[in-house]
Amino acid sequence: MQKFSRNHRIAAITKILLENPNKIMSLNNFTLMFNTAKSTVSEDILVVKDTLNKFQMGRIDTISGASGGIKYVCGISSEKRREFAEKLCIILKNRERIIPGNFLYMTDIMFNPAIIYIAGVILASIFIEKNIDYVVTVETKGIPLAYEVARMMGVQLVVVRREQKFTEGSTLTINYVSGSTGRIQTMSLSKKALKKGSKCIFIDDFMRAGGTAIGIINLLKEFESELLGIGFLIDNVETPKKLVQDYKSIVDFKGIDENGNALLFPSGNI
């Protein structure tokens, strides 16, 4: 069988681990792949682990036991988090993004793979120790961000619908009050989408008053499940009364000033 150089092995191990975040990979798989001894693979993994640690790009955890192995846990330095948030603020401050009602146009941001990837890593690294079963979001703009967080945490994404869909089968529907408008709204989730007794986090694009988050909490209770964390890309800190207090965001939006400029700053809780 073909033999591989150390550089080849390290490159392959790094790629495999980064493409499968939070998934346990058996060392036996690597020994068979490279046709080499487990001790050699272990030395290669030490190099990968040391490199990731030095650049603060996450870590490699070792899991002992018969079904053990190694897994990549995502991470990003505080400096990189801040740098990303500052760059995002600059993009969002463009006056052309301001739309009637003092809202910001964000659709292109939410569907930009490069931006959403880093945002996903930031939020996933915040919640990674929660050991959740699902990432939950509400259709539609928050889906790309929630998907990236779910991918980095190695769990399933669950999308809550605004309206019932016959393709979802039997669903559970609740009413909730929008925190920003005070209107009664509905959300529904297929009974097949979520296992009872699950641990979840809620990820969305924009936080106003938190009515949707409260709705998610109540919906999860119907599934006998628990919400362990809430994360947003942007938090509208100008909203006077928040319905939820314990959440994380990357950027704070403080409204539009008298000169028509959007006021955005890196969040203090990232």
Side-chain angles (χ1 to χ4, degrees):
M1 293 181 66
Q2 183 179 359
K3 286 286 187 179
F4 297 92
S5 69
R6 191 180 198 194
N7 288 342
H8 288 151
R9 295 195 305 270
I10 289 174
I13 290 171
T14 302
K15 185 175 188 295
I16 291 169
L17 290 175
L18 295 184
E19 287 182 346
N20 296 275
N22 217 31
K23 298 290 186 183
I24 298 175
M25 312 295 291
S26 171
L27 264 62
N28 289 332
N29 291 340
F30 290 122
T31 60
L32 292 173
M33 179 184 299
F34 303 130
N35 187 30
T36 191
K38 185 177 291 186
S39 59
T40 301
V41 171
S42 297
E43 291 174 0
D44 296 338
I45 291 170
L46 286 176
V47 175
V48 177
K49 180 184 293 189
D50 183 57
T51 302
L52 292 175
N53 287 339
K54 283 183 177 178
F55 288 95
Q56 298 184 55
M57 299 169 66
R59 68 178 193 267
I60 304 296
D61 284 354
T62 301
I63 294 86
S64 58
S67 59
I70 59 171
K71 68 176 181 179
Y72 167 69
V73 179
C74 69
I76 184 171
S77 69
S78 57
E79 292 80 7
K80 290 293 184 182
R81 294 184 189 192
R82 184 82 181 183
E83 179 183 328
F84 170 78
E86 289 174 347
K87 288 182 178 179
L88 184 57
C89 288
I90 292 173
I91 294 172
L92 291 169
K93 284 179 180 179
N94 187 329
R95 285 194 172 198
E96 294 182 358
R97 290 189 173 276
I98 301 174
I99 55 180
N102 285 346
F103 293 110
L104 294 177
Y105 176 75
M106 291 171 45
T107 302
D108 61 328
I109 298 293
M110 298 309 300
F111 291 93
N112 184 312
I115 292 175
I116 292 305
Y117 167 73
I118 301 177
V121 172
I122 291 173
L123 292 175
S125 63
I126 291 172
F127 297 114
I128 194 68
E129 304 301 335
K130 298 287 187 181
N131 295 318
I132 62 166
D133 303 302
Y134 298 95
V135 170
V136 180
T137 193
V138 177
E139 59 180 3
T140 55
K141 282 199 299 183
I143 292 176
L145 177 59
Y147 172 84
E148 197 61 44
V149 174
R151 190 181 75 84
M152 296 308 300
M153 298 184 78
V155 299
Q156 178 74 35
L157 172 64
V158 172
V159 179
V160 175
R161 301 286 189 180
R162 299 285 187 184
E163 299 177 353
Q164 294 185 44
K165 303 286 185 180
F166 73 91
T167 54
E168 299 286 296
S170 178
T171 60
L172 197 156
T173 302
I174 67 166
N175 295 326
Y176 71 99
V177 179
S178 169
S180 56
T181 65
R183 296 176 180 174
I184 301 294
Q185 297 184 336
T186 63
M187 60 173 60
S188 66
L189 183 62
S190 171
K191 292 182 178 179
K192 300 180 184 296
L194 196 72
K195 294 180 180 179
K196 287 188 176 181
S198 297
K199 295 182 292 184
C200 310
I201 62 171
F202 172 55
I203 300 294
D204 208 356
D205 60 326
F206 197 87
M207 164 72 156
R208 291 184 180 86
T212 302
I214 293 295
I216 292 293
I217 292 172
N218 292 331
L219 181 63
L220 290 178
K221 286 180 180 178
E222 297 295 328
F223 285 85
E224 300 176 18
S225 296
E226 184 181 6
L227 188 67
L228 300 183
I230 303 172
F232 301 95
L233 182 66
I234 300 175
D235 175 24
N236 185 353
V237 296
E238 286 294 284
T239 303
K241 186 178 180 181
K242 299 285 189 181
L243 300 179
V244 293
Q245 302 299 324
D246 187 13
Y247 61 90
K248 301 293 184 181
S249 60
I250 297 176
V251 168
D252 287 345
F253 174 52
K254 298 186 177 182
I256 311 297
D257 67 14
E258 63 274 10
N259 297 316
N261 298 310
L263 303 175
L264 295 124
F265 306 91
S267 176
N269 60 22
I270 61 167

